[in-house]
């Protein structure tokens, strides 16, 4: 990180593919990770917000909390005093984070929303489970199997109530059909809650945002908080030890950061990890399955090198195309 910090402060010269030289700076713009890594990067302890002053007891509060800007000032060599300050400030004890002295960066800015591990996983881990707890997994599976199969859309011939993990496409397809297939089987308030959180998720994925769409996002989130008590009243908000009477869900609090982040950093679609997740399949899992599981790194590099040469050869074989070497 040292060279990136120096380039951000002093700039550096890099060449473009066409040969032009450019003077660039390298600020820390975005760090795309999930919630546990958010806490590590922000140096915050468990059950706290990495981007605001909210704690676990505030996660179900519909009122947004201000971003984290303050820092603790204490001698880490004084263990007792340092430990007390960390507990009071909800810090994990890291003295020198990697982003320190990287310009004017702040975790509340560069920890951007991540669609897969924030709203899609929230929908799958909580909203879907609330539906299953009310109408039953077999009944939901039956409703989904009755949908007419269509080319280009995901069908659900197998049970979804027992799935532990879904692809990004399956998350999208489930969010499209769940409010429809559960209409009439859920209490009205619970159905309204499912509908507004689905609307919120699809609004967050817009390529362009204006004041009107951001206002719609805020209103949808407020409507969700208005109807969320119906989930507890229906007895479907359950944990490992039985019925829960709170909404201490970190992803729910991070949803309030989306509008603020959009104002500061632009639309959230640009912070997607879908490409890197896909590259993990094509560049890691597939070569590993073709290897003998010994000296994997060398075999993986050799495989990717051969794939690149083959793509160049195939492109040069086409008439009128010359990729060069």
């Amino acid at each position: 990180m040292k060279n990136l910090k120096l380039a951000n402060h002093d700039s550096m010269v890099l060449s473009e593919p066409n040969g032009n030289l450019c003077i660039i700076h390298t600020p820390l713009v975005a760090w795309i990770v999930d919630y546990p890594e958010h806490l590590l990067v922000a140096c915050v302890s468990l059950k706290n917000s990495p981007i605001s002053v909210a704690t676990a007891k505030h996660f179900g509060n519909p009122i947004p909390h201000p971003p984290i800007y303050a820092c603790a000032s204490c001698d880490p060599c004084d263990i007792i005093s340092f430990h007390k300050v960390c507990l009071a400030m909800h810090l994990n004890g890291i003295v020198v984070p990697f982003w320190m002295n990287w310009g004017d960066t702040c975790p509340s800015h560069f920890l951007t929303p991540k669609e897969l591990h924030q709203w899609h996983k929230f929908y799958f881990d909580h909203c879907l489970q609330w539906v299953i707890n009310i109408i039953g997994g077999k009944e939901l599976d039956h409703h989904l199997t009755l949908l007419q199969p269509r080319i280009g859309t995901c069908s659900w011939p197998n049970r979804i109530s027992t799935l532990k993990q879904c692809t990004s496409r399956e998350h999208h397809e489930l969010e499209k059909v769940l409010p429809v297939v559960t209409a009439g089987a859920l209490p009205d308030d619970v159905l309204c809650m499912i509908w507004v959180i689905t609307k919120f998720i699809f609004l967050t994925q817009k390529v362009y945002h204006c004041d009107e769409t951001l206002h719609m996002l805020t209103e949808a989130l407020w409507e969700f908080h208005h109807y969320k008590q119906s989930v507890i009243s229906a007895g479907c908000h359950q944990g490992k030890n039985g019925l829960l009477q709170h909404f201490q869900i970190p992803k729910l609090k991070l949803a309030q950061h989306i509008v603020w982040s959009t104002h500061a950093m632009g639309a959230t679609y640009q912070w997607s990890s879908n490409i890197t997740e896909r590259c993990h399949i094509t560049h890691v899992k597939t070569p590993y399955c073709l290897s003998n599981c010994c000296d994997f790194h060398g075999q993986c590099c050799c495989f990717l090198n051969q794939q690149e040469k083959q793509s160049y050869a195939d492109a040069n074989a086409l008439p009128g195309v010359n990729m060069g070497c």
Side-chain angles (χ1 to χ4, degrees), residues 106-148:
C106 177
S108 60
H109 287 87
F110 67 76
L111 291 180
T112 52
K114 184 180 179 183
E115 59 173 345
L116 177 60
H117 289 94
Q118 287 192 16
W119 45 81
H120 291 323
K121 290 292 290 183
F122 170 79
Y123 199 91
F124 185 81
D125 294 340
H126 298 283
C127 297
L128 179 62
Q129 292 304 315
W130 294 335
V131 173
I132 292 175
N133 291 337
I134 292 179
I135 68 176
K138 292 183 179 180
E139 183 68 16
L140 177 61
D141 294 333
H142 179 66
H143 286 198
L144 290 172
T145 55
L146 295 178
L147 293 175
Q148 179 69 30

Side-chain angles (χ1 to χ4, degrees), residues 240-256:
K240 296 181 180 179
N241 299 322
L243 186 65
L244 299 177
Q245 299 293 333
H246 60 78
F247 283 87
Q248 295 182 4
I249 306 173
K251 296 181 181 67
L252 187 57
K253 195 62 181 178
L254 291 176
Q256 297 177 342

Side-chain angles (χ1 to χ4, degrees), residues 170-216:
E170 290 171 337
H171 280 297
H172 284 86
E173 296 295 335
L174 176 63
E175 291 158 7
K176 293 177 183 178
V177 300
L178 188 63
V180 179
V181 299
T182 56
L186 294 177
D188 292 342
D189 288 348
V190 177
L191 183 61
C192 289
M193 184 271 299
I194 296 293
W195 183 83
V196 295
I197 195 63
T198 305
K199 175 184 176 182
F200 174 83
I201 291 174
F202 278 98
L203 284 173
T204 57
Q205 300 173 71
K206 289 179 66 68
V207 178
Y208 303 102
H209 281 284
C210 59
D211 292 339
E212 182 180 355
T213 57
L214 294 178
H215 176 72
M216 293 171 63

